[in-house]
């Protein structure tokens, strides 16, 4: 049904030219509430922590900001509460240049991640999904015109899986579907079959493959095994080692990540996926788009935070020059 040569199909190019958005992200928006602690409280105990720091976050909101910062025409379809956290998230989207026409307001408090960080840098996180859990299949259907106006639609699993399934059903034939199944959960076959690509880290690959992860237990083996589950293509992110791409047309391709001094890897996967989805929508081949995404991910880990750490296209280009000069 799906033709992998579509990037060169002129009828498809026409459809792409009509698109209003390079990327529509359908996903979560959370306020990240961060407190530093000397140690975590035991049950019944109270400990004092540092001043509260509040960041805009959530995988959907992060991806949308990452793409918009790079210059992609980006929109976010999400749900936030009618509260201060919701306004913080809307503000950060607008500041990055993302269109918030698809951000629904109300129904529940904005999702929050309650994060404690200990002196070793380890996080403990409680997520209250709040409004994210109320982004329903009906909301997706009602946003049909937004989906129809987008080259690529990217989702994650911090919203109900039924809503992700509805995205797949509502998607126009001209649009490309990208899924980062995080946090991992069982996926309907029709969702797996639509992924082009399915973007997973090592943990997510192992979750989806379950007992099938065994054979050679290398990323190449996982990529081949994941392809047998139905996605049109697969990308496995490998942290500092970069990423692996596979579309079944040949052997999996390894894409290196630039060597950088990592300061904070929070949100690197979201930046990677957003950049990948955008570049694929521009017509780049999978390994080329993944190589660009790896540079974006690498740049983001050189700075603190998630959304605050995302580079512009100029900064990504500068990072590349630094590589060449340093070589
Ligand atoms: P996730 O955050 O979802 O687990 P990864 O840790 O694999 O995802 O990171 C996503 C991408 O970000 C990687 O493919 C890589 O390009 C980049 N990246 C992450 N950590 C580093 C690092 N320490 N050095 C260079 N690039 C990195």
């Amino acid at each position: 049904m799906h033709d992998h040569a579509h990037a060169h199909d002129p009828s498809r190019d026409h459809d792409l030219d009509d698109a209003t958005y390079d990327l529509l992200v359908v996903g979560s928006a959370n306020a990240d509430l961060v407190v530093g602690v000397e140690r975590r409280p035991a049950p019944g105990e109270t400990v004092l922590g540092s001043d509260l720091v509040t960041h805009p976050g959530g995988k959907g909101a992060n991806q949308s900001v990452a793409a918009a910062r790079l210059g992609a025409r980006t929109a976010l379809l999400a749900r936030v509460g009618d509260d201060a956290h919701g306004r913080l998230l809307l503000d950060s989207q607008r500041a990055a240049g993302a269109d918030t026409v698809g951000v629904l307001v109300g129904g529940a408090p904005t999702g929050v991640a309650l994060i404690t960080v200990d002196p070793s840098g380890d996080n403990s996180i409680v997520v209250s999904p709040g409004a994210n859990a109320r982004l329903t299949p009906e909301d997706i259907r009602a946003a049909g015109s937004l989906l129809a106006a987008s080259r690529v639609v990217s989702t994650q699993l911090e919203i109900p899986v039924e809503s992700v399934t509805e995205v797949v059903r509502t998607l126009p034939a001209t649009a490309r579907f990208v899924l980062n199944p995080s946090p991992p959960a069982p996926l309907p076959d029709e969702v797996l079959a639509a992924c082009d690509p399915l973007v997973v880290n090592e943990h997510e690959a192992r979750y989806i493959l379950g007992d099938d992860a065994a054979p050679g237990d290398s990323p190449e083996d996982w990529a081949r095994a994941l392809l047998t589950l139905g996605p049109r293509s697969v990308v496995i992110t490998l942290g500092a080692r970069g990423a692996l791409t596979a579309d079944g047309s040949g052997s999996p391709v390894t894409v290196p990540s630039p060597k950088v001094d990592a300061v904070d890897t929070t949100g690197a996967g979201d930046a990677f996926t957003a950049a990948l989805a955008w570049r694929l929508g521009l017509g780049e081949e999978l390994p080329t788009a993944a190589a660009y995404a790896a540079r974006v991910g690498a740049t983001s880990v050189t700075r603190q935070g998630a959304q605050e750490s995302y580079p512009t296209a100029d900064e990504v280009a500068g990072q590349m020059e630094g590589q060449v000069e340093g070589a």
Side-chain angles (χ1 to χ4, degrees):
M1 266 195 291
H2 183 76
D3 177 3
H4 267 286
H6 56 56
H8 305 296
D9 176 350
S11 66
R12 205 177 157 97
D13 288 347
H14 174 73
D15 290 324
L16 295 183
D17 287 339
D18 290 343
T20 306
Y21 301 107
D22 298 317
L23 179 64
L24 171 66
V25 180
V26 184
S28 58
N30 286 330
D32 290 346
L33 310 185
V34 186
V35 178
V37 292
E38 279 304 314
R39 59 183 179 80
R40 294 198 173 75
E45 190 188 10
T46 299
V47 299
L48 299 182
S50 66
D51 287 349
L52 175 72
V53 180
T54 305
H55 299 283
K59 289 175 179 302
N62 285 352
Q63 283 195 11
S64 175
V65 163
R69 291 267 300 159
L70 290 167
R73 296 172 304 161
T74 308
L76 176 65
L77 173 51
R79 185 176 282 280
V80 298
D82 184 6
D83 50 30
H85 292 151
R87 288 186 284 281
L88 170 79
L89 284 151
L90 285 164
D91 286 347
S92 71
Q93 292 296 318
R94 290 177 185 136
D99 195 329
T100 57
V101 66
V103 179
L104 305 166
V105 178
T110 299
V112 294
L114 305 174
I115 304 173
T116 53
V117 186
D118 72 16
S120 71
D122 283 335
N123 290 333
S124 295
I125 306 177
V126 175
V127 170
S128 169
N132 296 301
R134 273 73 160 195
L135 185 71
T136 60
E138 293 73 52
D139 292 333
I140 305 298
R141 279 195 291 280
S145 60
L146 205 53
L147 279 116
S150 304
R151 289 184 183 197
V152 183
V153 178
S154 176
T155 69
Q156 324 78 35
L157 296 184
E158 290 183 337
I159 57 172
V161 74
E162 299 76 34
S163 300
V164 173
T165 305
E166 195 61 34
V167 169
V168 167
R169 293 180 181 166
T170 310
L171 204 65
T174 49
R176 185 161 185 155
F177 177 71
V178 175
L179 174 66
N180 171 219
S182 177
L187 289 171
D189 286 345
E190 71 180 296
V191 171
L192 272 170
C195 295
D196 194 12
L198 177 74
V199 183
V200 292
N201 64 16
E202 177 171 342
H203 168 67
E204 292 143 13
R206 287 184 187 281
Y207 175 92
I208 292 171
L209 289 172
D211 293 342
D212 295 339
D217 210 30
S218 72
E220 284 80 5
D221 293 312
W222 304 334
R224 288 195 193 90
L226 286 168
L227 280 175
T228 66
L229 301 178
R232 295 163 181 176
S233 56
V234 169
V235 174
I236 303 177
T237 63
L238 300 167
R241 287 177 293 149
L244 189 82
T245 69
D247 64 6
S249 68
S251 297
V253 176
T254 303
V255 174
S257 197
K259 287 218 184 329
V260 294
D261 290 325
V263 171
D264 181 0
T265 59
T266 311
D270 301 331
F272 177 99
T273 303
L276 176 79
W278 171 48
R279 302 301 284 203
L280 288 171
L282 298 184
E284 285 185 1
E285 296 296 329
L286 188 59
T288 312
Y292 185 87
R295 291 196 287 273
V296 173
T299 309
S300 81
V301 305
T302 63
R303 304 175 193 164
Q304 286 291 341
Q307 294 183 12
E308 304 90 320
S309 74
Y310 293 161
T312 63
D314 282 348
E315 288 166 341
V316 177
Q319 198 269 347
M320 285 168 65
E321 279 162 27
Q323 285 291 295
V324 174
E325 282 161 20

